[in-house]
Amino acid sequence: MTKLETNQICSLRDPRVRAVLDRLHRAARWDLLRFVRLAPTIASGLLRRKTFPESVSPEAMKDCYIPVSRDQGSFLYLTARALGAKRIVEFGTSFGISTLYLAAAVRDNGGGIVIGSELQPSKHQRAVAHIEEAGLAAVVDVRLGDALETLKEVPEPLDLAFLDGWKDLYLPVLELLKPRLRPGAVVLADNIFTFRKSLRPYVEYLQSGRNGFESVTLRISDGTEYSCYLG
Ligand SMILES: C[S@@+](CC[C@H](N)C(=O)[O-])C[C@H]1O[C@@H](n2cnc3c(N)ncnc32)[C@H](O)[C@@H]1O
């Protein structure tokens, strides 16, 4: 466990971690402007009945952070701490904001690994640099490429999974990870309200009681699905 000079045992109070998170959250505020620039591409995708953000190429979205909020990040950290999580998988790392919260928790839990996944090469590169800058590289492995490939091999058993990539893949990624979850593992998924329609099959799968999970949608940010794997 990392005890800081101030006798803190929460890495979110580590000045190195805080400095990177503060800077990235500030930079992410400009996402609104980035989305305005992408409006024509998004609109033409929607006209072709494609859902956003799948209708926009990862290359076009390469400057968009679309991160978890600070509250959501703290929720990720606290959930991972409460679980004593040592093995965490993340679908959709972007610039690494959510990864930093999860990695802080793993370090404070005494060590382990956060396996991240990012499709876009420049985002992957910057996420790796941010994690290094925060001093958390020892507990993170961000894998470049399609998560359906890069997450095929992950350490078992998983304590926690966080889903935040493109929404049409939540269910396939969950199915990929399910055999590796320990009983009592938690799966968190972002954007349930924003992408209500495309995520309905995902939410139904988890809330039906037929697939080994119990689950509830929490009103954190734009909807966070909190699911516990009961085995
Ligand atoms: C909403 S952002 C993730 C934000 C990040 N979790 C955070 O809080 O900072 C979604 C990311 O998922 C990535 N992504 C989308 N589909 C993916 C796939 N099949 N495999 C890996 N990454 C993917 C996108 O490139 C994008 O950067």
Side-chain angles (χ1 to χ4, degrees), residues 22-39:
D22 284 350
R23 195 181 76 238
L24 295 181
H25 275 298
R26 270 200 308 276
R29 286 199 209 134
W30 294 94
D31 266 0
L32 197 58
L33 194 64
R34 297 180 187 108
F35 279 120
V36 169
R37 287 204 193 110
L38 283 173

Side-chain angles (χ1 to χ4, degrees), residues 66-68 91-92 94 97-98 118-119 123 145-147 164-166 169:
I66 20 178
V68 292
F91 166 45
S94 192
I97 293 182
S98 49
E118 179 49 54
L119 196 56
K123 281 186 166 182
D146 183 350
D164 196 20
W166 292 174
L169 293 186

Side-chain angles (χ1 to χ4, degrees), residues 49-65:
R49 291 179 171 271
K50 292 186 97 185
T51 50
F52 175 77
E54 293 82 5
S55 57
V56 184
S57 73
E59 178 59 23
M61 299 271 282
K62 73 177 173 25
D63 295 322
C64 301
Y65 285 66

